[in-house]
Each structure stands twice: as C-alpha cells, then as structure tokens.
Amino acid sequence: MLPLVLTDEEWDAVVPDETVMRPGAEALCARLGLAGLPLERFPEGSVPVYAVGDALVLKLFPAAGARDGIVEERVLTRLDGALPIPTPSLHQAGEDANGWRYLLMSRLPGQGLAPAWPRIPRPDRERIARRCGEALAALHALDPEPLADTLGPGDWPAFLARQRAGAVDRQRERGLTEEWLEQIPDFLAAAPLPTAPGRALLHTEFMREHLLTDPADDWRLTGLLDFEPAMIGDPAYDLVAVGLFTTRADPHLLGHLLDAYGRAVDPRLLMAYTLLHVYSNLPWYLRELKPSARTLDALAEEWFGVS
C-alpha cells in the first residue's frame, strides 16, 4: 500500500523512493488485473509513471496532487482521437488507498522529441513545427466548457491581475537581477493583454519534453503527453512554452508553427504571458536561451518574433 502524502516534505521523501513506490505500484497493478506484467519506472516527471508491459502506462498522483490526476483524467477523456497528434487513451482511472489517484493509459510509440532533436534534419524540424501548430489549433478549437467544472482558473482577468500583482516578487525570488526586475511593471502596463480573450483548452506546457517522435517514420510526431497542468484561458498563453521550449527562440521555426496554427500573435503579448505564466522563471530562460537583448521589448522580438 502506498503511504499518505500530504506535504511537500512527504512528497520529496516518498515519491522518488522506489523501495516505497514500487511495491505499492505492483500491488495496485495486481488489483487492476495486471499482476505479472513487467513494471518499469520512467526516469522523468514529478510524479511516478510506470510502463506496464509493452502496451500500458500507469501514472500515480499522491493525495497532495490528487487534483492533477482528476484534471488529466478529464482532459484525456475529452481529447481521445481529437487531435492530429495522438494522446494517450484512458483505460482506467480511480482512487486507491491513502488518497492516491491512478491513471492507466495506452503507451504511445516513439521516443522523446527533446533528446532526439539534435539528430533531426532541418526540413524535418520545420515539418514538426507545422504539425505542432496544427495540433495546437485543433486543441484550441475544442469547446472547453465541458471541462470548466474541473479546470481553472475560472475568471481569466482576475487570474492575470493576481499574476501581475506578484510578478516582480516571483522573479526576484528566482534570482532575476534588478536590471530586468525594474522593467517589469512598465512593460506589463503597456502590454497588449486582451480584456476579453477567447476561452480555449490549454495544455500550458506544450514543449519538446512532452512530445514523442518516430525516427523510423520521417520523425512523425507520435504522442502529446502530460495534461495535468491544463487550464482554460486565452489561447496565446499556450504559445509561451512553444516559443521558449519547442521552437526555442528560432524565428523561422516559430514562423512555420504559427503559419500552421493560423494566427499571428504580438510578441509583446507572449512576453507578457511569459512573465505572468504560473511556471514563469525568467532567470532560467535567460540562462537557457542566452539572448543578446537587454530590454523586455527587445527580448519579446528575439524570443517570439517570426521570420
């Protein structure tokens, strides 16, 4: 049986510990009628995820993250067969002892796009970018209202107001220098944030780390994963992770992606959403992408401009 996990400290102690997790996962598999199948934990991720045999994946959420399990269950059910990139099909979902939730899903073929990226030829990267744009367009075209009882944040303008009020302090806590911090209030005040944006189902972390590809089939995208951070809000919010982690400040690739997506987006809006994103960490982005820009306006063009 898996132990109760209610605090960050318990999460840090229990979730990485396979001497605790594996027996609990094996016991759950037995209760699900999967006893005897090989069980292999994936090394990535903040929650335990196991390959069960060749065809299934078991994802576990402790009580402290149970809501994430409910969100992903609802979103996967809504998305089944709806996107041009496959998403896992949900076989079973429920609650186990001590508040743990589980998802038993189909295992999608392919390998991670992030580790494969250096080996992918430029023309295939451009085709992948276009495929990502098509998938995002399909995702954002779905009616999100059947999920509104589960997905936040509810009132989008109120959410942005809260994020804006804490934007400087959040970046300061992450180690952003005063050179950048002092620019944030004026930049956000002038940013073209919509007062009444459309409502769309958002992945919020659409990036190479959550995509699968098949090198034997012209690098076709074979999977889009990890929907527990999903939200409902302005479609442009989803393009932050795209620009930072999928096209990684490559204006040509972002141009292909947005052309397939079917919408041009003001780089200043995407920079504003970069600062307002729930996972925003501008110092880390600066270290990863190493821009030449020294102002937020110039950074917006460097990261989110297209060619």
Side-chain angles (χ1 to χ4, degrees), residues 11-67:
W11 188 306
D12 292 341
V14 170
V15 169
D17 189 348
E18 273 295 89
T19 65
V20 175
M21 291 304 310
R22 188 175 186 86
E26 289 174 341
L28 175 57
C29 284
R31 290 193 291 277
L32 296 176
L34 304 171
L37 288 177
L39 196 65
E40 180 182 357
R41 183 164 177 172
F42 292 100
E44 306 87 4
S46 59
V47 297
V49 184
Y50 294 88
V52 185
D54 295 327
L56 297 172
V57 169
L58 179 69
K59 189 169 187 176
L60 301 173
F61 299 85
R67 184 184 177 279

Short mmCIF file of all heavy atoms in Angstrom, two decimals, residues 11-67:
data_model
loop_
_atom_site.label_atom_id
_atom_site.label_comp_id
_atom_site.label_asym_id
_atom_site.label_seq_id
_atom_site.Cartn_x
_atom_site.Cartn_y
_atom_site.Cartn_z
N TRP A 11 6.22 14.48 0.03
CA TRP A 11 6.35 14.24 -1.41
C TRP A 11 7.82 14.00 -1.76
O TRP A 11 8.16 13.03 -2.44
CB TRP A 11 5.82 15.47 -2.16
CG TRP A 11 5.70 15.32 -3.65
CD1 TRP A 11 6.69 14.94 -4.52
CD2 TRP A 11 4.53 15.53 -4.45
NE1 TRP A 11 6.22 14.94 -5.81
CE2 TRP A 11 4.90 15.29 -5.79
CE3 TRP A 11 3.24 15.93 -4.16
CZ2 TRP A 11 3.99 15.42 -6.85
CZ3 TRP A 11 2.34 16.05 -5.21
CH2 TRP A 11 2.71 15.81 -6.52
N ASP A 12 8.70 14.88 -1.28
CA ASP A 12 10.13 14.76 -1.59
C ASP A 12 10.73 13.48 -1.03
O ASP A 12 11.68 12.93 -1.62
CB ASP A 12 10.89 15.97 -1.02
CG ASP A 12 10.54 17.27 -1.74
OD1 ASP A 12 10.02 17.20 -2.87
OD2 ASP A 12 10.78 18.34 -1.16
N ALA A 13 10.20 12.99 0.07
CA ALA A 13 10.74 11.78 0.68
C ALA A 13 10.20 10.51 0.04
O ALA A 13 10.93 9.53 -0.14
CB ALA A 13 10.42 11.77 2.18
N VAL A 14 8.92 10.51 -0.33
CA VAL A 14 8.27 9.28 -0.76
C VAL A 14 8.33 9.07 -2.27
O VAL A 14 8.70 7.99 -2.75
CB VAL A 14 6.79 9.27 -0.29
CG1 VAL A 14 6.02 8.11 -0.93
CG2 VAL A 14 6.72 9.18 1.22
N VAL A 15 7.97 10.10 -3.03
CA VAL A 15 7.78 9.91 -4.47
C VAL A 15 9.04 9.42 -5.19
O VAL A 15 8.96 8.54 -6.05
CB VAL A 15 7.23 11.21 -5.11
CG1 VAL A 15 7.28 11.14 -6.63
CG2 VAL A 15 5.79 11.44 -4.65
N PRO A 16 10.24 9.90 -4.86
CA PRO A 16 11.43 9.38 -5.57
C PRO A 16 11.90 8.01 -5.06
O PRO A 16 12.78 7.41 -5.69
CB PRO A 16 12.51 10.44 -5.27
CG PRO A 16 11.81 11.60 -4.67
CD PRO A 16 10.60 11.04 -4.00
N ASP A 17 11.36 7.53 -3.96
CA ASP A 17 11.88 6.33 -3.29
C ASP A 17 11.24 5.06 -3.86
O ASP A 17 10.11 4.70 -3.50
CB ASP A 17 11.61 6.43 -1.78
CG ASP A 17 12.30 5.34 -0.99
OD1 ASP A 17 12.81 4.38 -1.61
OD2 ASP A 17 12.32 5.46 0.25
N GLU A 18 11.97 4.37 -4.71
CA GLU A 18 11.43 3.16 -5.35
C GLU A 18 11.25 2.00 -4.36
O GLU A 18 10.48 1.09 -4.63
CB GLU A 18 12.32 2.73 -6.51
CG GLU A 18 11.99 3.38 -7.83
CD GLU A 18 10.59 2.98 -8.32
OE1 GLU A 18 9.62 3.68 -7.96
OE2 GLU A 18 10.45 1.98 -9.05
N THR A 19 11.95 2.03 -3.23
CA THR A 19 11.72 0.98 -2.25
C THR A 19 10.32 1.11 -1.64
O THR A 19 9.77 0.12 -1.13
CB THR A 19 12.76 1.04 -1.11
OG1 THR A 19 12.62 2.26 -0.38
CG2 THR A 19 14.17 0.95 -1.68
N VAL A 20 9.74 2.31 -1.71
CA VAL A 20 8.36 2.53 -1.26
C VAL A 20 7.39 2.45 -2.43
O VAL A 20 6.35 1.79 -2.35
CB VAL A 20 8.25 3.90 -0.56
CG1 VAL A 20 6.79 4.19 -0.19
CG2 VAL A 20 9.14 3.95 0.66
N MET A 21 7.73 3.12 -3.53
CA MET A 21 6.80 3.26 -4.64
C MET A 21 6.57 1.95 -5.38
O MET A 21 5.43 1.62 -5.74
CB MET A 21 7.31 4.32 -5.63
CG MET A 21 7.27 5.75 -5.09
SD MET A 21 5.62 6.26 -4.54
CE MET A 21 4.63 5.81 -5.94
N ARG A 22 7.63 1.22 -5.65
CA ARG A 22 7.47 0.03 -6.49
C ARG A 22 6.55 -1.03 -5.88
O ARG A 22 5.66 -1.53 -6.58
CB ARG A 22 8.84 -0.56 -6.83
CG ARG A 22 8.75 -1.67 -7.86
CD ARG A 22 10.10 -2.20 -8.30
NE ARG A 22 9.95 -3.14 -9.38
CZ ARG A 22 9.87 -2.80 -10.67
NH1 ARG A 22 9.94 -1.53 -11.00
NH2 ARG A 22 9.71 -3.71 -11.61
N PRO A 23 6.70 -1.39 -4.60
CA PRO A 23 5.76 -2.36 -4.04
C PRO A 23 4.31 -1.88 -4.10
O PRO A 23 3.40 -2.67 -4.37
CB PRO A 23 6.24 -2.53 -2.60
CG PRO A 23 7.68 -2.15 -2.63
CD PRO A 23 7.78 -1.05 -3.64
N GLY A 24 4.11 -0.58 -3.86
CA GLY A 24 2.76 -0.04 -3.95
C GLY A 24 2.21 -0.09 -5.36
O GLY A 24 1.04 -0.41 -5.58
N ALA A 25 3.06 0.23 -6.35
CA ALA A 25 2.63 0.17 -7.75
C ALA A 25 2.34 -1.27 -8.17
O ALA A 25 1.37 -1.54 -8.90
CB ALA A 25 3.70 0.79 -8.65
N GLU A 26 3.16 -2.20 -7.72
CA GLU A 26 2.93 -3.61 -8.05
C GLU A 26 1.63 -4.12 -7.44
O GLU A 26 0.87 -4.85 -8.09
CB GLU A 26 4.10 -4.45 -7.55
CG GLU A 26 5.38 -4.25 -8.36
CD GLU A 26 6.57 -4.99 -7.76
OE1 GLU A 26 6.50 -5.35 -6.56
OE2 GLU A 26 7.57 -5.18 -8.48
N ALA A 27 1.35 -3.70 -6.21
CA ALA A 27 0.11 -4.11 -5.57
C ALA A 27 -1.10 -3.54 -6.30
O ALA A 27 -2.12 -4.22 -6.48
CB ALA A 27 0.11 -3.68 -4.11
N LEU A 28 -1.00 -2.29 -6.73
CA LEU A 28 -2.11 -1.68 -7.48
C LEU A 28 -2.30 -2.40 -8.80
O LEU A 28 -3.44 -2.68 -9.21
CB LEU A 28 -1.83 -0.19 -7.70
CG LEU A 28 -2.85 0.56 -8.57
CD1 LEU A 28 -4.26 0.45 -8.00
CD2 LEU A 28 -2.44 2.03 -8.71
N CYS A 29 -1.21 -2.72 -9.49
CA CYS A 29 -1.33 -3.45 -10.76
C CYS A 29 -2.04 -4.79 -10.55
O CYS A 29 -2.87 -5.21 -11.37
CB CYS A 29 0.05 -3.66 -11.38
SG CYS A 29 0.74 -2.20 -12.17
N ALA A 30 -1.72 -5.46 -9.45
CA ALA A 30 -2.38 -6.73 -9.17
C ALA A 30 -3.88 -6.53 -8.98
O ALA A 30 -4.70 -7.32 -9.48
CB ALA A 30 -1.76 -7.37 -7.93
N ARG A 31 -4.27 -5.45 -8.28
CA ARG A 31 -5.69 -5.19 -8.08
C ARG A 31 -6.39 -4.82 -9.39
O ARG A 31 -7.59 -5.00 -9.53
CB ARG A 31 -5.87 -4.06 -7.06
CG ARG A 31 -5.50 -4.47 -5.64
CD ARG A 31 -5.97 -3.46 -4.62
NE ARG A 31 -5.26 -2.19 -4.68
CZ ARG A 31 -4.09 -1.96 -4.10
NH1 ARG A 31 -3.47 -2.93 -3.44
NH2 ARG A 31 -3.53 -0.76 -4.17
N LEU A 32 -5.61 -4.31 -10.35
CA LEU A 32 -6.18 -3.94 -11.65
C LEU A 32 -6.14 -5.11 -12.64
O LEU A 32 -6.46 -4.94 -13.81
CB LEU A 32 -5.42 -2.75 -12.23
CG LEU A 32 -5.52 -1.43 -11.45
CD1 LEU A 32 -4.63 -0.36 -12.08
CD2 LEU A 32 -6.95 -0.94 -11.38
N GLY A 33 -5.72 -6.28 -12.19
CA GLY A 33 -5.67 -7.45 -13.05
C GLY A 33 -4.45 -7.51 -13.93
O GLY A 33 -4.46 -8.19 -14.96
N LEU A 34 -3.37 -6.84 -13.52
CA LEU A 34 -2.16 -6.76 -14.34
C LEU A 34 -0.96 -7.42 -13.66
O LEU A 34 0.19 -7.14 -14.02
CB LEU A 34 -1.82 -5.29 -14.64
CG LEU A 34 -2.94 -4.48 -15.32
CD1 LEU A 34 -2.58 -3.01 -15.35
CD2 LEU A 34 -3.23 -5.00 -16.72
N ALA A 35 -1.22 -8.28 -12.70
CA ALA A 35 -0.13 -8.93 -11.97
C ALA A 35 0.75 -9.72 -12.93
O ALA A 35 0.26 -10.37 -13.86
CB ALA A 35 -0.70 -9.86 -10.90
N GLY A 36 2.05 -9.63 -12.71
CA GLY A 36 3.00 -10.40 -13.52
C GLY A 36 3.55 -9.67 -14.71
O GLY A 36 4.57 -10.09 -15.28
N LEU A 37 2.93 -8.56 -15.12
CA LEU A 37 3.48 -7.80 -16.25
C LEU A 37 4.71 -7.02 -15.79
O LEU A 37 4.76 -6.52 -14.67
CB LEU A 37 2.44 -6.83 -16.80
CG LEU A 37 1.27 -7.44 -17.59
CD1 LEU A 37 0.29 -6.35 -18.00
CD2 LEU A 37 1.78 -8.18 -18.81
N PRO A 38 5.72 -6.89 -16.65
CA PRO A 38 6.91 -6.11 -16.28
C PRO A 38 6.52 -4.68 -15.94
O PRO A 38 5.65 -4.07 -16.58
CB PRO A 38 7.78 -6.17 -17.53
CG PRO A 38 7.30 -7.36 -18.28
CD PRO A 38 5.84 -7.49 -17.99
N LEU A 39 7.18 -4.14 -14.92
CA LEU A 39 6.90 -2.79 -14.44
C LEU A 39 8.21 -2.00 -14.46
O LEU A 39 9.17 -2.38 -13.79
CB LEU A 39 6.33 -2.85 -13.03
CG LEU A 39 5.63 -1.61 -12.48
CD1 LEU A 39 4.36 -1.32 -13.28
CD2 LEU A 39 5.28 -1.80 -11.01
N GLU A 40 8.26 -0.92 -15.25
CA GLU A 40 9.48 -0.14 -15.38
C GLU A 40 9.16 1.33 -15.22
O GLU A 40 8.34 1.89 -15.95
CB GLU A 40 10.13 -0.37 -16.75
CG GLU A 40 11.41 0.41 -16.97
CD GLU A 40 12.01 0.19 -18.35
OE1 GLU A 40 11.46 -0.62 -19.12
OE2 GLU A 40 13.03 0.84 -18.65
N ARG A 41 9.82 1.97 -14.25
CA ARG A 41 9.54 3.38 -13.99
C ARG A 41 10.29 4.26 -14.98
O ARG A 41 11.48 4.05 -15.25
CB ARG A 41 9.95 3.76 -12.56
CG ARG A 41 9.62 5.20 -12.21
CD ARG A 41 9.66 5.47 -10.73
NE ARG A 41 9.41 6.86 -10.43
CZ ARG A 41 9.25 7.35 -9.20
NH1 ARG A 41 9.31 6.54 -8.16
NH2 ARG A 41 9.02 8.64 -9.01
N PHE A 42 9.58 5.26 -15.52
CA PHE A 42 10.23 6.26 -16.37
C PHE A 42 11.03 7.22 -15.49
O PHE A 42 10.57 7.60 -14.41
CB PHE A 42 9.19 7.03 -17.18
CG PHE A 42 8.48 6.21 -18.22
CD1 PHE A 42 7.20 5.71 -17.97
CD2 PHE A 42 9.08 5.92 -19.43
CE1 PHE A 42 6.54 4.96 -18.93
CE2 PHE A 42 8.42 5.17 -20.39
CZ PHE A 42 7.15 4.68 -20.14
N PRO A 43 12.21 7.63 -15.93
CA PRO A 43 13.05 8.48 -15.07
C PRO A 43 12.57 9.92 -14.96
O PRO A 43 12.90 10.61 -14.00
CB PRO A 43 14.42 8.41 -15.75
CG PRO A 43 14.13 8.09 -17.19
CD PRO A 43 12.91 7.22 -17.17
N GLU A 44 11.78 10.40 -15.94
CA GLU A 44 11.37 11.80 -15.93
C GLU A 44 10.07 11.96 -15.16
O GLU A 44 9.34 11.02 -14.89
CB GLU A 44 11.16 12.31 -17.36
CG GLU A 44 12.35 12.12 -18.29
CD GLU A 44 12.38 10.77 -18.98
OE1 GLU A 44 11.42 10.00 -18.77
OE2 GLU A 44 13.35 10.49 -19.68
N GLY A 45 9.78 13.22 -14.82
CA GLY A 45 8.48 13.56 -14.27
C GLY A 45 8.49 13.80 -12.77
O GLY A 45 9.32 13.26 -12.04
N SER A 46 7.53 14.60 -12.33
CA SER A 46 7.41 14.93 -10.91
C SER A 46 6.55 13.94 -10.14
O SER A 46 6.54 13.95 -8.91
CB SER A 46 6.83 16.34 -10.75
OG SER A 46 5.56 16.43 -11.37
N VAL A 47 5.81 13.09 -10.85
CA VAL A 47 5.02 12.04 -10.22
C VAL A 47 5.47 10.70 -10.80
O VAL A 47 6.04 10.64 -11.89
CB VAL A 47 3.50 12.25 -10.43
CG1 VAL A 47 3.04 13.54 -9.78
CG2 VAL A 47 3.13 12.22 -11.90
N PRO A 48 5.23 9.59 -10.08
CA PRO A 48 5.67 8.29 -10.58
C PRO A 48 4.87 7.84 -11.81
O PRO A 48 3.63 7.87 -11.79
CB PRO A 48 5.41 7.35 -9.39
CG PRO A 48 5.22 8.25 -8.21
CD PRO A 48 4.65 9.52 -8.74
N VAL A 49 5.58 7.43 -12.85
CA VAL A 49 4.97 6.92 -14.07
C VAL A 49 5.70 5.63 -14.45
O VAL A 49 6.93 5.62 -14.51
CB VAL A 49 5.04 7.93 -15.22
CG1 VAL A 49 4.31 7.39 -16.45
CG2 VAL A 49 4.46 9.28 -14.80
N TYR A 50 4.92 4.57 -14.69
CA TYR A 50 5.50 3.25 -14.98
C TYR A 50 4.98 2.71 -16.30
O TYR A 50 3.77 2.81 -16.61
CB TYR A 50 5.12 2.25 -13.89
CG TYR A 50 5.69 2.53 -12.53
CD1 TYR A 50 5.01 3.36 -11.64
CD2 TYR A 50 6.90 1.97 -12.12
CE1 TYR A 50 5.53 3.63 -10.37
CE2 TYR A 50 7.42 2.23 -10.85
CZ TYR A 50 6.73 3.06 -9.98
OH TYR A 50 7.24 3.31 -8.74
N ALA A 51 5.88 2.12 -17.07
CA ALA A 51 5.46 1.27 -18.18
C ALA A 51 5.01 -0.06 -17.60
O ALA A 51 5.72 -0.67 -16.79
CB ALA A 51 6.60 1.06 -19.16
N VAL A 52 3.83 -0.50 -17.99
CA VAL A 52 3.28 -1.79 -17.54
C VAL A 52 3.21 -2.69 -18.77
O VAL A 52 2.35 -2.51 -19.64
CB VAL A 52 1.89 -1.62 -16.91
CG1 VAL A 52 1.41 -2.96 -16.34
CG2 VAL A 52 1.92 -0.56 -15.81
N GLY A 53 4.16 -3.62 -18.86
CA GLY A 53 4.27 -4.38 -20.09
C GLY A 53 4.65 -3.47 -21.24
O GLY A 53 5.28 -2.43 -21.06
N ASP A 54 4.24 -3.85 -22.45
CA ASP A 54 4.59 -3.06 -23.64
C ASP A 54 3.50 -2.08 -24.05
O ASP A 54 3.77 -1.17 -24.85
CB ASP A 54 4.86 -4.00 -24.82
CG ASP A 54 6.07 -4.88 -24.61
OD1 ASP A 54 7.02 -4.41 -23.95
OD2 ASP A 54 6.05 -6.04 -25.08
N ALA A 55 2.29 -2.24 -23.52
CA ALA A 55 1.17 -1.51 -24.09
C ALA A 55 0.53 -0.49 -23.15
O ALA A 55 -0.29 0.32 -23.59
CB ALA A 55 0.08 -2.50 -24.54
N LEU A 56 0.89 -0.50 -21.86
CA LEU A 56 0.18 0.34 -20.90
C LEU A 56 1.15 1.21 -20.10
O LEU A 56 2.33 0.90 -19.97
CB LEU A 56 -0.62 -0.54 -19.93
CG LEU A 56 -1.73 -1.40 -20.53
CD1 LEU A 56 -2.30 -2.33 -19.47
CD2 LEU A 56 -2.83 -0.51 -21.11
N VAL A 57 0.61 2.29 -19.56
CA VAL A 57 1.34 3.19 -18.68
C VAL A 57 0.48 3.46 -17.46
O VAL A 57 -0.73 3.74 -17.58
CB VAL A 57 1.67 4.52 -19.39
CG1 VAL A 57 2.20 5.56 -18.40
CG2 VAL A 57 2.69 4.30 -20.50
N LEU A 58 1.09 3.38 -16.27
CA LEU A 58 0.41 3.68 -15.01
C LEU A 58 1.00 4.96 -14.45
O LEU A 58 2.21 5.05 -14.22
CB LEU A 58 0.59 2.53 -14.02
CG LEU A 58 -0.04 2.73 -12.64
CD1 LEU A 58 -1.57 2.70 -12.74
CD2 LEU A 58 0.45 1.66 -11.66
N LYS A 59 0.16 5.95 -14.22
CA LYS A 59 0.60 7.23 -13.67
C LYS A 59 -0.06 7.42 -12.31
O LYS A 59 -1.28 7.24 -12.18
CB LYS A 59 0.23 8.38 -14.61
CG LYS A 59 0.83 9.73 -14.25
CD LYS A 59 0.62 10.73 -15.40
CE LYS A 59 1.34 12.04 -15.17
NZ LYS A 59 1.20 12.96 -16.32
N LEU A 60 0.73 7.76 -11.30
CA LEU A 60 0.26 7.84 -9.93
C LEU A 60 0.36 9.27 -9.40
O LEU A 60 1.36 9.96 -9.62
CB LEU A 60 1.09 6.91 -9.04
CG LEU A 60 1.07 5.43 -9.41
CD1 LEU A 60 2.07 4.66 -8.57
CD2 LEU A 60 -0.32 4.85 -9.25
N PHE A 61 -0.68 9.68 -8.67
CA PHE A 61 -0.72 11.01 -8.08
C PHE A 61 -0.99 10.87 -6.59
O PHE A 61 -2.03 10.34 -6.19
CB PHE A 61 -1.85 11.85 -8.70
CG PHE A 61 -1.72 12.08 -10.18
CD1 PHE A 61 -2.19 11.14 -11.09
CD2 PHE A 61 -1.13 13.23 -10.67
CE1 PHE A 61 -2.08 11.35 -12.46
CE2 PHE A 61 -1.03 13.45 -12.04
CZ PHE A 61 -1.49 12.51 -12.93
N PRO A 62 -0.07 11.34 -5.72
CA PRO A 62 -0.33 11.27 -4.29
C PRO A 62 -1.47 12.19 -3.88
O PRO A 62 -1.91 13.04 -4.67
CB PRO A 62 1.00 11.71 -3.67
CG PRO A 62 1.64 12.56 -4.71
CD PRO A 62 1.22 11.99 -6.03
N ALA A 63 -1.94 12.03 -2.66
CA ALA A 63 -3.08 12.84 -2.19
C ALA A 63 -2.82 14.33 -2.35
O ALA A 63 -3.73 15.09 -2.69
CB ALA A 63 -3.38 12.50 -0.73
N ALA A 64 -1.56 14.75 -2.14
CA ALA A 64 -1.23 16.18 -2.28
C ALA A 64 -1.39 16.67 -3.71
O ALA A 64 -1.52 17.88 -3.94
CB ALA A 64 0.20 16.43 -1.81
N GLY A 65 -1.37 15.78 -4.69
CA GLY A 65 -1.54 16.16 -6.09
C GLY A 65 -2.73 15.48 -6.74
O GLY A 65 -2.77 15.36 -7.97
N ALA A 66 -3.70 15.08 -5.92
CA ALA A 66 -4.83 14.31 -6.45
C ALA A 66 -5.63 15.09 -7.49
O ALA A 66 -6.12 14.52 -8.47
CB ALA A 66 -5.74 13.87 -5.31
N ARG A 67 -5.73 16.41 -7.28
CA ARG A 67 -6.48 17.21 -8.25
C ARG A 67 -5.86 17.13 -9.64
O ARG A 67 -6.59 17.11 -10.66
CB ARG A 67 -6.56 18.67 -7.79
CG ARG A 67 -7.42 19.53 -8.72
CD ARG A 67 -7.42 20.99 -8.34
NE ARG A 67 -8.19 21.76 -9.29
CZ ARG A 67 -7.73 22.17 -10.49
NH1 ARG A 67 -6.49 21.86 -10.85
NH2 ARG A 67 -8.51 22.86 -11.31
#
